[in-house]
Amino acid sequence: MIVPGASSQALAAAVATAMDEPLAAVEYDRFPDGETLAAVPDFDGGRAVVVATTDSNDAWVELLQLQDAVREAGADRVVTVIPYMGYARQDAAFEDGHPVSARAMAKAVSTGADRVVLVNPHEEDLASFFDAHVTIVDAASRLAAPLPDDLDDPLFLSPDASAVELAGSVREAYGRGETDYFEKVRHSGTEVEVTPSDADAAGRDVVIVDDIVATGSTMSEAVAHLQSGGAARVFATCVHPLLVRNARTKLERAGIERIVGTDTVERAVSAVSVAPNVAAAVDAVTQ
Ligand code: R5P
């Protein structure tokens, strides 16, 4: 049985189709005081696969509820798929008195999961925060499929050095082009400064690849540099299209040709599904 969190209903349905397994009819409710309630149908003792992106505090609580509910309903094993893991960027105590929020979340999830599957977590080291066994899925290569076939002398660029492997995966899946990266310094949650790479973007189609687009500050800064450097079309791609606040507007104003994301976060720009990658990972951990 595939059990969707409220934010991952389309992805969970695609995973159920890919695995030829039933999709649970979860009921999502909220009490007058704001508390959430996620309820599942009965199980006949099998394995439950909870698929729940944790892009909000409510989504985190709901995931913990679903893990508990499926056991109450009779599941004997729980595989938890977190397509996008929120709080992953809080992976250290950056100042005195700060929590390691990602660790706190990972410990909480581990109390109810036998296995955990993460799709392109912000850092792979996050796996060590979980007490349950973690499988990491790399779905970045999926971002190549929605790109036009006629990219001119394409340059696949990451906005910082840590995402250059993602850019490499998309370039490889696309089949041609060059890979490079910008240097990035973050000044605040919404202010970033990027420095252009060595590669000359003038007259070329550029595909920027990142793991997350949240406020759009990183991506729009990169796009602005490329536009002033004379790039032709600029495509913004990411695994997790969070697109909070006015991110979409920032990207449009910066002059992107198109933004492409996956369905780890279900948005209008989710042009490609990670379901085949998730299904293969769940199959592998439950053999
Ligand atoms: C940071 O290291 C990530 O890879 C992304 O570049 C970042 O999370 C994007 O955030 P924003 O869209 O708010 O600039």
Side-chain angles (χ1 to χ4, degrees):
M1 184 83 88
I2 309 299
V3 182
S7 305
S8 294
Q9 295 182 58
L11 174 57
V15 170
T17 301
M19 300 188 71
D20 196 20
E21 291 201 19
L23 182 64
V26 177
E27 297 287 343
Y28 313 101
D29 213 338
R30 188 179 291 279
F31 288 101
D33 60 2
E35 290 182 354
T36 62
L37 174 66
V40 301
D42 274 349
F43 281 75
D44 54 5
R47 180 253 290 127
V49 180
V50 177
V51 181
T53 265
T54 52
D55 57 347
S56 67
N57 290 349
D58 278 352
W60 272 112
V61 173
E62 189 187 84
L63 167 56
L64 299 179
Q65 289 179 325
L66 287 173
Q67 290 186 155
D68 207 70
V70 293
R71 285 202 202 271
E72 279 291 311
D76 54 21
R77 275 169 307 147
V78 178
V79 177
T80 292
V81 179
I82 309 181
Y84 165 71
M85 180 178 166
Y87 285 92
R89 291 179 289 176
Q90 294 186 45
D91 57 353
F94 295 107
E95 291 180 27
D96 288 349
H98 281 198
V100 182
S101 303
R103 182 180 58 200
M105 298 305 180
K107 298 282 179 216
V109 167
S110 300
T111 60
D114 297 297
R115 301 278 183 159
V116 174
V117 175
L118 303 176
V119 182
N120 291 100
H122 182 55
E123 298 287 350
E124 297 210 344
D125 290 351
L126 287 168
S128 67
F129 289 154
F130 289 83
D131 298 319
H133 178 276
V134 175
T135 299
I136 289 179
V137 168
D138 180 5
S141 60
R142 297 260 161 214
L143 293 167
L147 295 172
D149 293 335
D150 65 348
L151 291 182
D152 187 6
D153 192 14
L155 174 59
F156 293 83
L157 200 61
S158 61
D160 61 32
S162 67
V164 72
E165 281 180 20
L166 300 181
S169 297
V170 181
R171 193 217 72 85
E172 198 177 321
Y174 189 74
R176 62 192 172 84
E178 190 186 357
T179 306
D180 203 355
Y181 61 92
F182 278 7
E183 299 288 352
K184 177 171 99 178
V185 180
R186 181 174 283 285
H187 298 298
S188 72
T190 53
E191 280 176 82
V192 296
E193 188 180 332
V194 297
T195 316
S197 59
D198 295 337
D200 184 5
R204 304 171 72 178
D205 286 333
V206 182
V207 180
I208 313 175
V209 185
D210 207 350
D211 59 339
I212 303 167
V213 175
T215 65
S217 306
T218 303
M219 198 56 97
S220 53
E221 270 289 301
V223 174
H225 274 292
L226 291 164
Q227 298 289 20
S228 59
R233 294 177 293 178
V234 181
F235 296 82
T237 70
C238 65
V239 180
H240 310 298
L242 274 181
L243 297 173
V244 298
R245 297 185 184 166
N246 61 349
R248 190 63 206 264
T249 304
K250 274 188 196 164
L251 293 170
E252 293 296 336
R253 283 174 58 86
I256 54 159
E257 179 78 13
R258 185 179 169 197
I259 174 156
V260 171
T262 78
D263 56 357
T264 60
V265 185
E266 297 178 8
R267 297 281 187 266
V269 302
S270 301
V272 70
S273 181
V274 301
N277 308 64
V278 168
V282 172
D283 255 345
V285 298
T286 52
Q287 285 307 314

